[in-house]
């Protein structure tokens, strides 16, 4: 698959041949869903907590005598059926993580990249470098490329000027190649890869 390379200024900078094994797959929604679910589950804090009857600060004395009242038999007011009592089977602090095989994760990334390539939402940029960390200048360049909602993936070392300039632009995320992931690719409309990022991806999946 051949794709043209552009500069940040919107000028033509040649072509690059993309690997069919990475960018030419037929995207499968079930694999993408599994990887996104795994990512979001891993991201959850799991700090939700409700007090059980053993943690409620109320008297443990029997509410009223066992017999002779005509009412139901009860003991502690901490029981879940009473107002102010403990929560039955409430949430507890726990990890939501679950396992996902490495091969499925790798396949998910390939399918996410292929989905962007297939929908013509993939742009290859020659280099992600700026002379100055000016948000206005970068915003103008992105507007030239027609980017309003995009994930930008650079090489192993991001240009600090580019990173700082992109910080205040809404709906534009910038990550080094080590941080590329399925969820961020899918949540943004367009994927922008630098030439270095493409080379790193092909090396990774070689």
């Amino acid at each position: 698959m051949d794709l043209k390379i552009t500069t940040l200024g919107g000028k033509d900078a040649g072509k690059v041949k993309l690997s069919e094994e990475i960018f030419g797959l037929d995207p499968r929604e079930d694999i993408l869903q599994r990887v996104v679910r795994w990512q979001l589950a891993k991201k959850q804090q799991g700090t939700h907590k409700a007090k059980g009857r053993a943690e409620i600060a109320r008297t443990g004395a029997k509410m009223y005598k066992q017999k002779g009242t005509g009412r139901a038999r009860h003991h502690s007011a901490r029981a879940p059926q009473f107002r102010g009592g403990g929560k039955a089977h409430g949430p507890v602090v726990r990890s939501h993580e679950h396992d996902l095989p490495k091969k499925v994760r790798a396949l998910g990334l390939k399918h996410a990249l292929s989905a962007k390539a297939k929908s013509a939402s993939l742009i290859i940029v020659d280099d992600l470098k700026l002379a100055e960390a000016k948000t206005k200048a970068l915003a103008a360049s992105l507007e030239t490329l027609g980017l309003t909602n995009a994930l930008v993936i650079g090489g192993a070392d991001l240009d600090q000027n580019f990173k700082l300039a992109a910080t205040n632009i809404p709906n534009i995320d910038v990550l080094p190649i080590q941080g590329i992931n399925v969820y961020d690719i899918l949540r943004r409309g367009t994927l922008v890869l630098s030439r270095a990022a493409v080379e790193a991806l092909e090396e990774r999946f070689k």
Side-chain angles (χ1 to χ4, degrees):
M1 179 193 297
D2 289 331
L3 206 66
K4 75 171 189 175
I5 302 174
T6 184
T7 63
L8 275 176
K11 294 178 182 176
D12 193 12
K15 286 190 174 183
V16 64
K17 189 172 181 64
L18 300 178
S19 170
E20 290 288 337
E21 292 180 5
I22 303 172
F23 296 93
L25 301 176
D26 195 20
R28 276 179 52 182
E29 289 184 10
D30 59 321
I31 291 175
L32 295 174
Q33 188 269 346
R34 281 182 70 185
V35 179
V36 169
R37 182 173 169 268
W38 170 77
Q39 272 189 251
L40 294 181
K42 197 173 180 183
K43 197 176 176 183
Q44 270 187 274
Q45 285 187 323
T47 52
H48 38 30
K49 179 76 173 71
K51 287 184 178 181
R53 64 183 292 172
E55 300 166 301
I56 295 293
R58 283 182 105 172
T59 177
K62 189 169 174 66
M63 295 179 73
Y64 44 78
K65 64 182 182 176
Q66 179 85 344
K67 294 180 175 290
T69 64
R71 299 174 66 186
R73 296 171 292 186
H74 287 302
H75 180 248
S76 173
R78 298 179 190 141
Q81 65 264 41
F82 297 117
R83 184 183 178 90
K87 176 78 173 172
H89 313 297
V92 293
V93 176
R94 68 184 178 92
S95 169
H96 290 268
E97 280 189 59
H98 59 267
D99 289 333
L100 191 68
K102 279 186 180 179
K103 287 184 179 180
V104 177
R105 288 182 248 163
L107 192 60
L109 183 54
K110 287 180 184 178
H111 278 254
L113 293 168
S114 296
K116 289 297 179 188
K118 194 171 184 180
S119 63
S121 302
L122 176 64
I123 295 176
I124 311 294
V125 174
D126 185 35
D127 206 1
L128 299 173
K129 284 187 179 178
L130 292 177
E132 291 182 291
K134 297 287 186 183
T135 300
K136 190 175 181 180
L138 179 58
S141 296
L142 295 178
E143 193 175 333
T144 305
L145 295 172
L147 299 174
T148 54
N149 188 306
L151 171 65
V152 183
I153 304 290
D157 297 313
L158 284 175
D159 178 54
Q160 281 302 110
N161 287 343
F162 186 92
K163 189 178 176 183
L164 288 170
T167 303
N168 288 332
I169 304 176
N171 301 322
I172 300 292
D173 297 332
V174 180
L175 290 173
I177 188 62
Q178 303 94 309
I180 191 169
N181 65 87
V182 174
Y183 177 66
D184 281 329
I185 290 172
L186 297 179
R187 72 190 283 263
R188 292 297 176 207
T190 308
L191 176 63
V192 181
L193 296 175
S194 70
R195 194 195 292 260
V198 172
E199 290 170 0
L201 281 169
E202 295 193 343
E203 183 66 32
R204 175 174 172 179
F205 292 119
K206 188 179 287 184

